[in-house]
Amino acid sequence: MTTLSKVDPGSIRFLRNAQHYATLLATLHERMAWAVGGGGEKLMQRHIERGKLPVRERIDLLLDVGSPFLEIAPLAAWGMYNNEVPAAGVVAGIGLVEGVHCMIIANDATVKGGSFFRETVRKHVRAQEIAAQNRLPCLYLVDCGGAYLPEQDQVFPDWGHFGTTFYNQCRMSAEGLPQLSAVFGGCTAGGAYIPALSDEAIIVQGTGRIHLGGPPIVKAAINEIVDGEALGGAAMHTRVSGVTDYLATDERQALAKLRQIVRHLNMPPLQPLPAGRALPPRFDPAEIAGIVGGDMKQPYDVREVLLRLVDDSEMQEFKPEYGSTLVCASAHIHGLPVGILANNGVLFSESSMKGAHFIELCNQRNIPLLFLQNITGFMVGTEAERGGIAKHSAKLVYAMSTARVPRLTVLIGGSYGAGNYGMCGRGFAPHFLFSWPNSRIATMSPEVATTVLTELRKSSLKGDSADDQLAALAQETTEQFTRQSDPYYATARLWDDGIIEPEQTRDVLGLCLQLLAQSNARAAGPSPVFRM
Ligand code: COA
């Protein structure tokens, strides 16, 4: 049954919201330009003068013409390191190569020689995680100076650091997920292991280099004086050491070779989308901005958002007259079935149990879950506690955590406290998690945190300066929570897979659902490839 929209796109409220959202999108576009700009004009100029292509041009040449590229965490490291590490120095995303969806992980050598900062390694590991979950081959476009040495303690020794990226490469290869490299620049230490641990590797003559230790290290270690080309050049590695399998005379030839290798991978072809059902929504997805706006305190009916996300604006709502603060609905996005759980207010015991029940239904029917988070948390207070909110909310968390079907999450508004948990936050390993530019994420809002902390401190403060100290604490807390709950603070630290626009969300989710549907078709079987 199609629910009719009650939104009036001509209303003052709608127009004000849309106008406000336009400023949020302008900020997003400005920051995306920073990410795309890499290490800046001067370094880009030097890069090009060396006969090298900008990293995004390499990706464009690798992808099938006109096919989309779903970039992962483009704003990683935003606002960190004086904003000198755009996109954390690595571009990662899913794209089509010879009709096969692949994970592409490409170093940007204009950003500190493509070396690894904490966020670089997190992004690299996250991209590999997505590849493993969705059974995608990994294509590494390598141009990487290894660990960024001043940050070595943040990237080298621990689980989730550089070593894990190599562990992932080996494990994925052994599970039958091809790991392929093309080497475009100087790859030292950790950078050298990316091609060395790949199933097949290509190297570009003149600019591609691979060495565990570069000339300065060799001199320091064994007092041997050698130039980079003799030590780790393309000809040496392809004809003498056998570290690489193919020599390319330039970058375009290397990318064409990589495409040719993918063509011969014998990966199951892309599953065609079910025809016929994928009608666009009856209401324009561009209107979501005018519904949501940027004011967290302004309530709206989340069904209005759903009407603009799902095929034909058609959905089957489960228990529409019970637990109304959680909307649960079965629908299709780009022809693929999805079970949606969307917040429409604070979570009560009834809404939590309804969510748990709905998750079980989707599990039984093998339907992926989509969580749309806009949540301040579960209900508090004596009545709620006596009603067992702790155990009822736990049922939602338990059902969501143990669901056998894939889960997707989008932060469309607030993501606070245990609400973040119940609605499949990052800690619960959703297959993909995206945020909207108006979202906020923290244990609680700045206002609530300020009240809680000043109340806690009040009893221990005495004397004339107590009020001043409380005022200072209040200001500090508000400032801290405002800064840390900003979506850019979150995306910079890889708490999500990227900030996406409301209008793009349907297409992004459609691609994710398609990947999840086809991952079943790529059966896992042990198939290690030992380099010889
Ligand atoms: N750690 C810290 N800084 C690094 C780095 C690393 N691993 N690799 C590169 N950089 C820095 C450089 O100091 C330079 O910084 P600056 O712009 O502030 O001066 C910037 O990145 C660009 O490096 P540059 O050497 O000018 O670029 P290039 O394109 O000529 O060479 C490399 C790139 C990666 C081949 C070269 O920088 C290199 O060999 N780096 C050292 C690699 C290494 O020893 N790694 C061991 C890690 S365990």
Side-chain angles (χ1 to χ4, degrees):
M1 187 186 77
T2 302
T3 321
L4 284 181
S5 173
K6 296 185 183 64
V7 166
D8 173 8
S11 70
I12 296 205
R13 174 181 157 145
F14 183 97
L15 294 172
R16 202 181 290 139
N17 279 346
Q19 201 176 14
H20 180 74
Y21 218 96
T23 64
L24 296 180
L25 292 180
T27 304
L28 176 63
H29 298 160
E30 194 185 292
R31 292 177 184 178
M32 286 297 286
W34 162 84
V36 170
E41 260 173 49
K42 219 170 112 198
L43 284 168
M44 187 63 79
Q45 184 70 25
R46 186 180 78 161
H47 187 82
I48 291 166
E49 277 166 12
R50 290 170 167 178
K52 297 170 82 175
L53 293 169
V55 64
R56 285 164 197 277
E57 238 173 277
R58 288 177 185 154
I59 294 172
D60 282 349
L61 287 167
L62 179 62
L63 295 177
D64 292 353
V65 175
S67 64
F69 180 59
L70 177 59
E71 193 167 338
I72 304 297
L75 295 174
W78 187 87
M80 306 167 87
Y81 313 106
N82 297 320
N83 262 348
E84 285 173 11
V85 191
V90 64
V91 182
I94 299 164
L96 271 182
V97 178
E98 295 286 338
V100 177
H101 277 124
C102 296
M103 175 58 77
I104 295 156
I105 303 179
N107 308 114
D108 186 348
T110 67
V111 180
K112 295 289 173 195
S115 59
F116 274 48
F117 290 68
R118 185 181 48 202
E119 292 67 32
T120 321
V121 81
R122 286 199 66 167
K123 186 164 165 179
H124 192 113
V125 168
R126 175 65 191 143
Q128 289 180 318
E129 232 171 58
I130 293 173
Q133 275 190 322
N134 292 283
R135 306 210 51 76
L136 307 175
C138 289
L139 310 184
Y140 302 93
L141 308 188
V142 199
D143 204 342
C144 170
Y148 181 70
L149 291 172
E151 295 275 318
Q152 65 92 24
D153 65 327
Q154 302 293 316
V155 300
F156 172 64
D158 200 2
W159 174 253
H161 285 180
F162 228 138
T164 304
T165 70
F166 304 131
Y167 175 75
N168 288 343
Q169 254 184 268
C170 300
R171 301 288 297 197
M172 278 194 277
S173 169
E175 284 174 21
L177 298 178
Q179 306 291 303
L180 307 171
S181 280
V183 176
F184 297 97
C187 298
T188 310
Y193 265 110
I194 303 173
L197 285 168
S198 290
D199 302 329
E200 291 182 75
I202 305 158
I203 189 164
V204 178
Q205 197 160 21
T207 46
R209 298 247 175 95
I210 299 174
H211 26 56
L212 291 188
I217 297 179
V218 171
K219 179 159 188 294
I222 59 170
N223 204 23
E224 182 187 324
I225 295 170
V226 61
D227 69 84
E229 197 58 26
L231 183 68
M236 192 284 286
H237 276 314
T238 316
R239 295 180 181 136
V240 181
S241 73
V243 168
T244 48
D245 309 300
Y246 310 95
L247 187 65
T249 51
D250 60 25
E251 296 203 4
R252 285 168 196 274
Q253 199 183 66
L255 292 161
K257 186 77 201 166
L258 195 50
R259 285 180 57 82
Q260 192 185 25
I261 297 172
V262 174
R263 198 180 315 147
H264 291 278
L265 285 179
N266 192 27
M267 297 295 287
L270 189 64
Q271 300 279 305
L273 285 172
R277 266 190 297 178
L279 293 171
R282 294 185 195 190
F283 303 95
D284 188 355
E287 289 174 355
I288 295 174
I291 296 165
V292 170
D295 178 2
M296 305 287 284
K297 293 197 184 80
Q298 175 189 278
Y300 61 87
D301 187 347
V302 75
R303 291 177 188 85
E304 297 288 356
V305 172
L306 302 190
L307 289 177
R308 288 156 181 83
L309 280 182
V310 306
D311 292 359
D312 201 24
S313 302
E314 193 271 338
M315 53 193 168
Q316 142 63 21
E317 196 177 331
F318 174 65
K319 276 185 182 283
E321 298 183 48
Y322 183 86
S324 61
T325 56
L326 185 67
V327 174
C328 298
S330 303
H332 288 80
I333 293 181
H334 282 286
L336 293 163
V338 63
I340 304 172
L341 294 92
N343 299 119
N344 220 17
V346 70
L347 282 164
F348 291 90
S349 285
E350 291 80 2
S351 29
S352 306
M353 286 191 292
K354 169 175 153 183
H357 186 168
F358 183 68
I359 290 171
E360 287 170 3
L361 293 177
C362 292
N363 246 338
Q364 184 199 48
R365 297 165 190 176
N366 205 22
I367 297 173
L369 296 163
L370 168 63
F371 295 84
L372 297 179
Q373 287 199 8
N374 181 19
I375 179 69
T376 47
F378 291 98
M379 191 60 197
V380 296
T382 316
E383 195 185 330
E385 297 294 353
R386 286 176 64 86
I389 186 74
K391 74 175 179 185
H392 292 130
S393 61
K395 285 176 193 163
L396 178 61
V397 174
Y398 192 97
M400 176 275 297
S401 301
T402 56
R404 290 187 310 278
V405 290
R407 294 159 305 148
L408 306 171
T409 303
V410 184
L411 272 55
I412 66 169
S415 174
Y416 291 114
N420 167 289
Y421 299 160
M423 291 294 291
C424 198
R426 188 65 132 183
F428 296 82
H431 283 61
F432 290 94
L433 187 151
F434 298 101
S435 309
W436 282 359
N438 59 300
S439 65
R440 294 285 181 275
I441 178 166
T443 45
M444 55 190 82
S445 69
E447 297 78 19
V448 178
T450 304
T451 310
V452 170
L453 279 174
T454 47
E455 280 302 316
L456 285 173
R457 183 67 65 82
K458 245 181 204 166
S459 55
S460 61
L461 289 178
K462 291 188 181 63
D464 293 346
S465 66
D467 285 350
D468 288 348
Q469 287 185 50
L470 278 181
L473 176 67
Q475 194 185 344
E476 227 171 76
T477 308
T478 304
E479 189 279 324
Q480 181 205 341
F481 274 72
T482 305
R483 181 169 48 84
Q484 293 181 346
S485 55
D486 188 86
Y488 294 96
Y489 187 91
T491 205
R493 288 159 182 77
L494 279 293
W495 297 351
D496 61 26
D497 295 321
I499 298 181
I500 57 171
E501 300 182 23
E503 195 180 342
Q504 303 167 329
T505 303
R506 170 179 159 77
D507 293 340
V508 170
L509 292 173
L511 175 58
C512 295
L513 288 168
Q514 193 187 11
L515 291 170
L516 295 168
Q518 80 179 4
S519 63
N520 288 336
R522 294 183 176 168
S527 48
V529 177
F530 295 103
R531 288 198 62 87
M532 300 299 165

